[in-house]
Amino acid sequence: MTMKLHGFPMSPNTQRARFALEELDIAYELEVVDLMAGAQKAPEYLAINPAGRVPCLVDGDFSLFESNAILGYLAAQKPERKLDGGADARARAEVTKWMFFGCAHLGPAVQQIFAHTMRLPPEKRLPQVVETARADLDRALKVLEGRLAKSSHLGGDTLTLADISVAPILSPLAMLGVDLTPFVAVSAWLAAIKARPSWVSATGG
Ligand SMILES: N[C@@H](CCC(=O)N[C@@H](CS)C(=O)NCC(=O)O)C(=O)O
């Protein structure tokens, strides 16, 4: 049975799951949950995903929310691709490390910048929050820069879930007015990721 991904095309968390599906060449149907219309809070969607967020993957009678958990499940469908780092414990830990780093340090900073420059009504936007988030983001980007100055991808020399997980966090930065060019290796890595056919299919380019 074809997997179904409940998601919203503009959502970076949905794009993360779609990027993995496309990269692994797994057939799926996208069931759009219209976040603009509040469809994520409808009882019929909450029955599928009690967290009321996107994405949510449904594979037969198995339903899974949290995009990074979805990535792990998808990678396990095609172990020969070793997107999760494969059997080696250190390689797997390296991949997991960047996925947690993205969730803990990059994602929250980008969300704060988004909230206080675009999402909130102008009267609720706090420049101080943006300033603090920019400092947190720069601190985290320096760590990525150090890594990507040494290897072409976050997990090493080939694409892994680490790249699939982190790229959607950083891709909206240009729209948010954050200049990534001082982070030369990060910029080159992100450009290479965005050139992948799987990314283009997952995000529309
Ligand atoms: N940690 C979750 C975050 C999911 C999430 O917050 N998705 C956003 C869209 S990018 C959402 O559904 N927002 C709607 C809402 O919060 O009501 C994941 O990685 O899947």
Side-chain angles (χ1 to χ4, degrees), residues 11-13 16 35 40-41 52-55 66-67:
S11 132
N13 291 302
R16 176 178 297 123
L35 297 185
Q40 74 277 24
K41 293 176 183 148
R53 294 173 186 268
V54 293
E66 279 302 322
S67 58

Short mmCIF file of all heavy atoms in Angstrom, two decimals, residues 11-13 16 35 40-41 52-55 66-67, ligand 1:
data_model
loop_
_atom_site.label_atom_id
_atom_site.label_comp_id
_atom_site.label_asym_id
_atom_site.label_seq_id
_atom_site.Cartn_x
_atom_site.Cartn_y
_atom_site.Cartn_z
N SER A 11 5.44 24.07 4.51
CA SER A 11 5.99 23.81 5.86
C SER A 11 7.37 23.15 5.77
O SER A 11 7.53 22.10 5.14
CB SER A 11 5.02 22.92 6.63
OG SER A 11 5.66 21.83 7.25
N PRO A 12 8.39 23.74 6.41
CA PRO A 12 9.73 23.12 6.38
C PRO A 12 9.74 21.72 6.96
O PRO A 12 10.50 20.86 6.49
CB PRO A 12 10.58 24.08 7.23
CG PRO A 12 9.84 25.38 7.22
CD PRO A 12 8.39 25.03 7.11
N ASN A 13 8.90 21.47 7.95
CA ASN A 13 8.87 20.12 8.53
C ASN A 13 8.29 19.11 7.55
O ASN A 13 8.74 17.96 7.49
CB ASN A 13 8.08 20.13 9.85
CG ASN A 13 8.81 20.91 10.93
OD1 ASN A 13 9.93 20.59 11.27
ND2 ASN A 13 8.18 21.96 11.44
N ARG A 16 10.94 18.46 4.91
CA ARG A 16 11.96 17.52 5.39
C ARG A 16 11.55 16.08 5.06
O ARG A 16 12.33 15.29 4.53
CB ARG A 16 12.13 17.71 6.90
CG ARG A 16 13.09 16.73 7.54
CD ARG A 16 13.25 17.02 9.03
NE ARG A 16 13.82 18.33 9.23
CZ ARG A 16 13.27 19.31 9.95
NH1 ARG A 16 12.11 19.12 10.56
NH2 ARG A 16 13.85 20.47 10.08
N LEU A 35 -2.91 24.37 6.62
CA LEU A 35 -2.62 25.07 7.89
C LEU A 35 -3.26 26.45 7.92
O LEU A 35 -3.61 26.96 8.98
CB LEU A 35 -1.10 25.20 8.09
CG LEU A 35 -0.29 23.90 8.23
CD1 LEU A 35 1.16 24.23 8.54
CD2 LEU A 35 -0.86 22.98 9.29
N GLN A 40 -5.26 21.46 10.70
CA GLN A 40 -4.49 20.61 11.62
C GLN A 40 -5.20 20.42 12.96
O GLN A 40 -4.84 19.55 13.74
CB GLN A 40 -3.07 21.18 11.84
CG GLN A 40 -2.96 22.40 12.71
CD GLN A 40 -3.23 23.71 11.97
OE1 GLN A 40 -3.91 23.74 10.95
NE2 GLN A 40 -2.71 24.81 12.49
N LYS A 41 -6.23 21.28 13.21
CA LYS A 41 -6.96 21.18 14.49
C LYS A 41 -8.31 20.49 14.33
O LYS A 41 -9.06 20.37 15.29
CB LYS A 41 -7.15 22.58 15.07
CG LYS A 41 -5.81 23.19 15.48
CD LYS A 41 -5.96 24.62 15.97
CE LYS A 41 -4.59 25.19 16.28
NZ LYS A 41 -4.48 26.60 16.05
N GLY A 52 -1.58 17.44 16.28
CA GLY A 52 -2.20 18.52 15.52
C GLY A 52 -1.20 19.37 14.74
O GLY A 52 -1.36 20.59 14.61
N ARG A 53 -0.17 18.72 14.22
CA ARG A 53 0.85 19.42 13.44
C ARG A 53 1.17 18.58 12.21
O ARG A 53 0.79 17.41 12.13
CB ARG A 53 2.14 19.61 14.26
CG ARG A 53 1.96 20.55 15.44
CD ARG A 53 3.22 20.55 16.30
NE ARG A 53 3.04 21.34 17.51
CZ ARG A 53 3.34 22.63 17.62
NH1 ARG A 53 3.85 23.28 16.61
NH2 ARG A 53 3.14 23.27 18.74
N VAL A 54 1.90 19.18 11.29
CA VAL A 54 2.36 18.42 10.12
C VAL A 54 3.88 18.39 10.15
O VAL A 54 4.50 19.30 10.69
CB VAL A 54 1.86 19.05 8.79
CG1 VAL A 54 0.37 18.92 8.67
CG2 VAL A 54 2.31 20.50 8.63
N PRO A 55 4.47 17.32 9.59
CA PRO A 55 3.84 16.23 8.85
C PRO A 55 3.42 15.07 9.74
O PRO A 55 3.78 15.01 10.92
CB PRO A 55 4.98 15.79 7.93
CG PRO A 55 6.20 15.95 8.79
CD PRO A 55 5.94 17.19 9.60
N GLU A 66 6.22 13.65 14.01
CA GLU A 66 7.59 14.14 14.28
C GLU A 66 8.47 13.82 13.07
O GLU A 66 8.82 12.66 12.80
CB GLU A 66 8.19 13.55 15.56
CG GLU A 66 7.74 14.25 16.84
CD GLU A 66 8.06 15.75 16.86
OE1 GLU A 66 9.13 16.17 16.39
OE2 GLU A 66 7.21 16.50 17.37
N SER A 67 8.85 14.89 12.39
CA SER A 67 9.52 14.72 11.10
C SER A 67 10.84 13.96 11.19
O SER A 67 11.16 13.18 10.30
CB SER A 67 9.73 16.08 10.43
OG SER A 67 10.48 16.93 11.26
N1 LIG B 1 8.55 18.85 15.83
C1 LIG B 1 7.55 18.74 14.78
C2 LIG B 1 7.10 20.15 14.42
C3 LIG B 1 5.89 20.11 13.52
C4 LIG B 1 5.34 21.52 13.32
O1 LIG B 1 5.35 22.36 14.24
N2 LIG B 1 4.83 21.76 12.11
C5 LIG B 1 4.24 23.04 11.82
C6 LIG B 1 4.39 23.37 10.33
S1 LIG B 1 6.08 23.60 9.86
C7 LIG B 1 2.75 22.97 12.13
O2 LIG B 1 2.13 21.96 11.93
N3 LIG B 1 2.17 24.09 12.59
C8 LIG B 1 0.77 24.18 12.83
C9 LIG B 1 0.42 24.45 14.24
O3 LIG B 1 1.34 24.62 15.08
O4 LIG B 1 -0.77 24.51 14.55
C10 LIG B 1 8.13 17.98 13.59
O5 LIG B 1 9.35 18.02 13.40
O6 LIG B 1 7.37 17.32 12.86
#
